[in-house]
Amino acid sequence: MSGNLQEIQSILETALYADDLDAAEDFYGGILALEKVSRAGNRHVFFRCGPGMVLIFNPNETIKPAGSTTMPVPSHGASGAGHACFAVSADRLPSIKQKMHDNGIEIEADFCWPNGARSLYVRDPAGNSIEFGEPRMWGFTDNQI
């Protein structure tokens, strides 16, 4: 593959899959307090996260063709657990950990990376691996994210 795609700036959206959108909405909108942008019945629920979007799709619905000529989105989906990492500054990790504890959500791992960055891992109601990590794990500063 040749060429360099320097025009790509960042990740605009991340998609995860969940059969139970009500539980996903409670987790992402309620516990994580992300701003809900829209919900389309049992097909999807979308949340704003900083300058990007977290899209939660019901895989049983998105595997079907969209059926719209005005919005020709191809069918898509995944099976099994996915992963997303939310950027969190070091001083906010203790409150995230406490919030998970207060809501009965098990911390699967509280891990320090070789460069000193820390990550917390939990599972959302669909079983997706959700990480809360310091941006410096990838060499970013908090204000670069």
PDB file of all heavy atoms in Angstrom, residues 1-11:
ATOM      1  N   MET A   1       0.849  -1.175   0.000  1.00  0.00           N
ATOM      2  CA  MET A   1       0.000   0.000   0.000  1.00  0.00           C
ATOM      3  C   MET A   1       0.892   1.234   0.000  1.00  0.00           C
ATOM      4  O   MET A   1       1.754   1.397   0.847  1.00  0.00           O
ATOM      5  CB  MET A   1      -0.895  -0.034   1.242  1.00  0.00           C
ATOM      6  CG  MET A   1      -1.850   1.092   1.331  1.00  0.00           C
ATOM      7  SD  MET A   1      -2.942   0.821   2.754  1.00  0.00           S
ATOM      8  CE  MET A   1      -4.273   1.819   2.276  1.00  0.00           C
ATOM      9  N   SER A   2       0.658   2.103  -0.928  1.00  0.00           N
ATOM     10  CA  SER A   2       1.482   3.304  -0.999  1.00  0.00           C
ATOM     11  C   SER A   2       0.677   4.517  -0.572  1.00  0.00           C
ATOM     12  O   SER A   2      -0.536   4.476  -0.488  1.00  0.00           O
ATOM     13  CB  SER A   2       1.998   3.490  -2.428  1.00  0.00           C
ATOM     14  OG  SER A   2       0.909   3.719  -3.287  1.00  0.00           O
ATOM     15  N   GLY A   3       1.387   5.578  -0.325  1.00  0.00           N
ATOM     16  CA  GLY A   3       0.723   6.826   0.048  1.00  0.00           C
ATOM     17  C   GLY A   3       0.669   7.011   1.550  1.00  0.00           C
ATOM     18  O   GLY A   3       0.899   6.097   2.327  1.00  0.00           O
ATOM     19  N   ASN A   4       0.376   8.221   1.925  1.00  0.00           N
ATOM     20  CA  ASN A   4       0.319   8.583   3.323  1.00  0.00           C
ATOM     21  C   ASN A   4      -0.968   9.370   3.542  1.00  0.00           C
ATOM     22  O   ASN A   4      -1.175  10.395   2.910  1.00  0.00           O
ATOM     23  CB  ASN A   4       1.551   9.429   3.672  1.00  0.00           C
ATOM     24  CG  ASN A   4       1.679   9.703   5.140  1.00  0.00           C
ATOM     25  OD1 ASN A   4       0.726   9.539   5.897  1.00  0.00           O
ATOM     26  ND2 ASN A   4       2.851  10.131   5.550  1.00  0.00           N
ATOM     27  N   LEU A   5      -1.824   8.888   4.415  1.00  0.00           N
ATOM     28  CA  LEU A   5      -3.121   9.525   4.627  1.00  0.00           C
ATOM     29  C   LEU A   5      -3.055  10.576   5.735  1.00  0.00           C
ATOM     30  O   LEU A   5      -3.778  10.511   6.714  1.00  0.00           O
ATOM     31  CB  LEU A   5      -4.180   8.469   4.948  1.00  0.00           C
ATOM     32  CG  LEU A   5      -4.505   7.504   3.824  1.00  0.00           C
ATOM     33  CD1 LEU A   5      -5.525   6.477   4.278  1.00  0.00           C
ATOM     34  CD2 LEU A   5      -5.025   8.252   2.610  1.00  0.00           C
ATOM     35  N   GLN A   6      -2.210  11.565   5.575  1.00  0.00           N
ATOM     36  CA  GLN A   6      -2.062  12.621   6.572  1.00  0.00           C
ATOM     37  C   GLN A   6      -3.327  13.449   6.736  1.00  0.00           C
ATOM     38  O   GLN A   6      -3.486  14.149   7.721  1.00  0.00           O
ATOM     39  CB  GLN A   6      -0.877  13.521   6.237  1.00  0.00           C
ATOM     40  CG  GLN A   6       0.458  12.835   6.402  1.00  0.00           C
ATOM     41  CD  GLN A   6       0.699  12.373   7.824  1.00  0.00           C
ATOM     42  OE1 GLN A   6       0.425  13.096   8.776  1.00  0.00           O
ATOM     43  NE2 GLN A   6       1.196  11.166   7.985  1.00  0.00           N
ATOM     44  N   GLU A   7      -4.241  13.383   5.757  1.00  0.00           N
ATOM     45  CA  GLU A   7      -5.463  14.163   5.886  1.00  0.00           C
ATOM     46  C   GLU A   7      -6.418  13.581   6.923  1.00  0.00           C
ATOM     47  O   GLU A   7      -7.375  14.232   7.328  1.00  0.00           O
ATOM     48  CB  GLU A   7      -6.174  14.331   4.534  1.00  0.00           C
ATOM     49  CG  GLU A   7      -6.620  13.049   3.887  1.00  0.00           C
ATOM     50  CD  GLU A   7      -5.586  12.419   2.951  1.00  0.00           C
ATOM     51  OE1 GLU A   7      -4.417  12.834   2.968  1.00  0.00           O
ATOM     52  OE2 GLU A   7      -5.952  11.500   2.226  1.00  0.00           O
ATOM     53  N   ILE A   8      -6.199  12.358   7.375  1.00  0.00           N
ATOM     54  CA  ILE A   8      -7.032  11.779   8.441  1.00  0.00           C
ATOM     55  C   ILE A   8      -6.626  12.440   9.752  1.00  0.00           C
ATOM     56  O   ILE A   8      -5.468  12.429  10.140  1.00  0.00           O
ATOM     57  CB  ILE A   8      -6.871  10.247   8.516  1.00  0.00           C
ATOM     58  CG1 ILE A   8      -7.406   9.620   7.228  1.00  0.00           C
ATOM     59  CG2 ILE A   8      -7.589   9.698   9.735  1.00  0.00           C
ATOM     60  CD1 ILE A   8      -7.200   8.130   7.147  1.00  0.00           C
ATOM     61  N   GLN A   9      -7.612  13.036  10.448  1.00  0.00           N
ATOM     62  CA  GLN A   9      -7.332  13.840  11.625  1.00  0.00           C
ATOM     63  C   GLN A   9      -7.494  13.097  12.937  1.00  0.00           C
ATOM     64  O   GLN A   9      -6.717  13.282  13.859  1.00  0.00           O
ATOM     65  CB  GLN A   9      -8.240  15.070  11.642  1.00  0.00           C
ATOM     66  CG  GLN A   9      -8.014  15.973  10.465  1.00  0.00           C
ATOM     67  CD  GLN A   9      -9.060  17.060  10.392  1.00  0.00           C
ATOM     68  OE1 GLN A   9     -10.249  16.814  10.527  1.00  0.00           O
ATOM     69  NE2 GLN A   9      -8.600  18.278  10.185  1.00  0.00           N
ATOM     70  N   SER A  10      -8.552  12.314  13.060  1.00  0.00           N
ATOM     71  CA  SER A  10      -8.809  11.621  14.317  1.00  0.00           C
ATOM     72  C   SER A  10      -9.955  10.636  14.109  1.00  0.00           C
ATOM     73  O   SER A  10     -10.542  10.569  13.035  1.00  0.00           O
ATOM     74  CB  SER A  10      -9.167  12.617  15.430  1.00  0.00           C
ATOM     75  OG  SER A  10     -10.387  13.259  15.132  1.00  0.00           O
ATOM     76  N   ILE A  11     -10.296   9.920  15.147  1.00  0.00           N
ATOM     77  CA  ILE A  11     -11.463   9.039  15.126  1.00  0.00           C
ATOM     78  C   ILE A  11     -12.697   9.908  15.361  1.00  0.00           C
ATOM     79  O   ILE A  11     -12.775  10.637  16.351  1.00  0.00           O
ATOM     80  CB  ILE A  11     -11.375   7.962  16.226  1.00  0.00           C
ATOM     81  CG1 ILE A  11     -10.151   7.073  16.012  1.00  0.00           C
ATOM     82  CG2 ILE A  11     -12.653   7.148  16.297  1.00  0.00           C
ATOM     83  CD1 ILE A  11     -10.223   6.156  14.831  1.00  0.00           C
TER      84      ILE A  11
END
